[in-house]
Amino acid sequence: MSNDSSSRIVAALREWIATAPPGAKLPSTRSLVSLHGASPVTVQKALRTLVSQGVVEARPGVGTFVRAARVVRPNDYGWQTAALGSPNYRLQLPIALQSTSNDVIALHSGYPARELLPEGLVRAAFTRATRTDAVFNRPLAAGLPELQSWFASELGSATPAGITPPGPNDVVVLPGSQGGLATSFRALVGEGRPLLMESPTYWGAILAAAQAGVTVIPISSGANGPDPEELSRAFEQTGARAFYAQPSFASPTGALWSPSLADKVLDTVRRHGAFLIEDSSALDFGITADPSPIAARDDSGHVVYLRALTKSVSPSVRVAGLIARGPAYERILADTQADSMYVSGMLQAVALDVVTQPAWRTHLRRLRHQLEARRDLLVSSLLEHAPDAHLDAVPQGGLNLWLRLPDTTNLERVVQDCRSAGVIVGAGDDWFPAEPTGKFLRLNYAGPNPGEFPDAARIIGRAITQHM
């Protein structure tokens, strides 16, 4: 009853306010109690509602008054144009980060759907972490020693005989892989200097390179990885001292380097006295292959290894580990401290808890089968309903298919038509650090509602046919 009375009082007072001048004082609480036959509590609730709606303002000890109507005027920010000057790079939100409504078929995201995450493990880890000192303590700049040890031991388990495995003191814990990329490019390359980079490649690496001010030299890379001879020529011609690559289930192509290619690239890097910045963000998403990081074969400091947990654990647990040796480690640590000081001890504790539970390995085995079913369903749907599109290879892991369209395709119209029909896809242009070498779509098979993949393929195929 009090809720009804409160609403009735609000409606009556709004009528009174509509004819009152700005600054007019509302009747006292006692008068309103008598006028509306309500309790003081109900009247006060009505007044609080009007205050929250911005139509009145309360002045303690004085009364409640009609708020003057604010005149909305446009703000002039033109002065900032001269103050900021021309940007060093163009920041544009890529399709992979754009949120969508639940009534569309989302094939654009760079993250797995929630049902593919270890939700129970993450919730339990947060609960346990709140009972520890991680809630209050400031962790060491390089990270929690236990988490450093986990990153080092994981890579060390893949280290062959005769190679010295990394130790905890070779690890820097970072707030996600994006920060690790920016740190690596600043610390190892430097502004204005050349960085070799696979093309196409992860859009976040392209953005990090632009933010760091490095000069990107694209190295063509396809379903099997880059050409080591082309890589060697690029080192010789540019004098570059670093190569960024994703040897394990690359985004967007899904490429997995063969052991022989990995050895050739590592030999090339060593011969030119350079670094390989190895991004293993998709390491947990193997389907029919279990990759071995190239960093496990190197103990001379040529490979800087970046291992993220964000996509496989939870988007809210932005934690990654970076392994480097020698002076490169010191430079990376110094840059990390200057940029972020340290990573939340709470998030580090949660990440460590999740990956050290026996159920983590069980989850990864289950995830492998889930990804395989989704991948195969999308592949078969595209083969049936989008015959004009071409898939160079079915990836052995990762989250994406890299679909090549006919060269005559109007890619922009295809993307627009798909969106209009309720299917969100990623135009491949975002994954090229220079001009695109063709018309591509990147499709995420780890997104929600895989049962709608056949319908999505029909829409994609129809759009391609219409705009070839």
Side-chain angles (χ1 to χ4, degrees):
M1 182 66 182
S2 62
N3 288 337
D4 292 339
S5 298
S6 174
S7 300
R8 176 170 52 82
I9 297 170
V10 168
L13 286 175
R14 287 190 73 93
E15 291 182 7
W16 184 88
I17 291 169
T19 60
K25 185 176 182 180
L26 272 65
S28 66
T29 299
R30 180 177 298 179
S31 299
L32 293 174
V33 166
S34 176
L35 178 63
H36 294 285
S39 70
V41 173
T42 301
V43 169
Q44 287 295 332
K45 182 177 180 180
L47 292 175
R48 287 197 300 271
T49 299
L50 291 170
V51 170
S52 68
Q53 293 173 349
V55 295
V56 300
E57 58 179 335
R59 302 174 189 171
V62 180
T64 305
F65 299 83
V66 176
R67 185 184 293 274
R70 296 180 62 186
V71 179
V72 179
R73 61 179 180 81
N75 292 312
D76 181 11
Y77 301 117
W79 65 270
Q80 293 188 4
T81 300
L84 292 171
S86 297
N88 293 326
Y89 58 91
R90 293 288 179 182
L91 178 58
Q92 183 176 0
L93 184 67
I95 185 70
L97 287 185
Q98 293 179 14
S99 58
T100 59
S101 59
N102 294 328
D103 59 350
V104 301
I105 305 173
L107 299 177
H108 69 293
S109 176
Y111 287 83
R114 179 172 172 176
E115 60 266 24
L116 298 179
L117 299 176
E119 184 170 341
L121 288 176
V122 174
R123 289 185 181 278
F126 268 105
T127 300
R128 284 189 285 267
T130 59
R131 304 192 189 108
T132 70
D133 291 340
V135 177
F136 302 104
N137 288 351
R138 179 174 67 84
L140 299 173
L144 294 180
E146 299 86 353
L147 187 56
Q148 289 178 287
S149 295
W150 182 85
F151 280 117
S153 64
E154 188 198 42
L155 184 60
S157 65
T159 301
I163 300 293
T164 303
N169 291 335
D170 298 320
V171 179
V172 180
V173 178
L174 303 163
S177 62
Q178 191 64 24
L181 293 175
T183 285
S184 298
F185 297 163
R186 285 193 300 263
L188 305 180
V189 182
E191 186 174 358
R193 300 180 65 184
L195 168 68
L196 306 187
M197 179 179 287
E198 288 183 293
S199 178
T201 192
Y202 170 49
W203 63 264
I206 300 172
L207 175 59
Q211 291 175 308
V214 303
T215 301
V216 172
I217 310 298
I219 304 297
S220 179
S221 188
N224 298 313
D227 180 344
E229 293 184 2
E230 180 183 347
L231 177 65
S232 182
R233 285 194 297 270
F235 271 122
E236 293 170 359
Q237 294 171 0
T238 66
R241 289 294 178 264
F243 173 42
Y244 167 78
Q246 294 179 299
S248 302
F249 314 133
S251 175
T253 62
L256 173 63
W257 293 10
S258 67
S260 61
L261 174 60
D263 287 338
K264 290 177 182 178
V265 170
L266 184 55
D267 288 343
T268 300
V269 168
R270 287 170 172 163
R271 190 169 64 253
H272 290 278
F275 294 101
L276 169 63
I277 302 172
E278 180 182 7
D279 185 350
S280 287
S281 297
L283 193 67
D284 292 324
F285 302 125
I287 297 176
T288 57
D290 295 304
S292 177
I294 298 177
R297 312 179 198 188
D298 172 66
D299 58 3
S300 55
H302 284 283
V303 183
V304 173
Y305 179 69
L306 184 60
R307 168 75 161 99
L309 296 173
T310 302
K311 288 186 179 181
S312 53
V313 173
S314 169
S316 295
V317 184
R318 292 196 58 79
V319 172
L322 188 150
I323 296 179
R325 309 195 198 198
Y329 174 88
E330 301 299 333
R331 291 201 182 189
I332 288 170
L333 179 59
D335 187 273
T336 301
Q337 288 179 288
D339 187 56
S340 57
M341 295 188 184
Y342 56 87
V343 180
S344 162
M346 182 76 172
L347 294 184
Q348 291 190 66
V350 168
L352 178 65
D353 188 312
V354 170
V355 298
T356 54
Q357 293 293 329
W360 169 246
R361 289 297 165 190
T362 303
H363 163 73
L364 291 181
R365 287 193 294 270
R366 184 170 58 249
L367 177 62
R368 176 186 295 258
H369 297 300
Q370 292 171 316
L371 290 176
E372 183 175 22
R374 289 169 181 245
R375 180 202 64 184
D376 292 349
L377 176 58
L378 185 55
V379 169
S380 62
S381 299
L382 291 167
L383 288 173
E384 180 178 357
H385 301 296
D388 294 315
H390 179 68
L391 189 64
D392 284 340
V394 176
Q396 299 180 69
L399 305 176
N400 314 302
L401 298 182
W402 186 238
L403 204 63
R404 176 75 182 256
L405 310 187
D407 290 341
T408 57
T409 304
N410 186 326
L411 184 58
E412 183 177 353
R413 292 292 301 276
V414 168
V415 173
Q416 289 175 351
D417 281 10
C418 287
R419 179 180 286 272
S420 298
V423 177
I424 313 300
V425 296
D429 293 3
D430 285 344
W431 283 266
F432 284 92
E435 292 80 7
T437 57
K439 307 297 178 66
F440 295 89
L441 292 177
R442 195 210 65 161
L443 307 179
N444 179 3
Y445 52 76
N449 305 320
E452 296 180 333
F453 285 175
D455 291 336
R458 289 188 189 94
I459 292 169
I460 293 170
R462 188 163 55 245
I464 294 171
T465 301
Q466 291 175 350
H467 298 295
M468 286 198 312

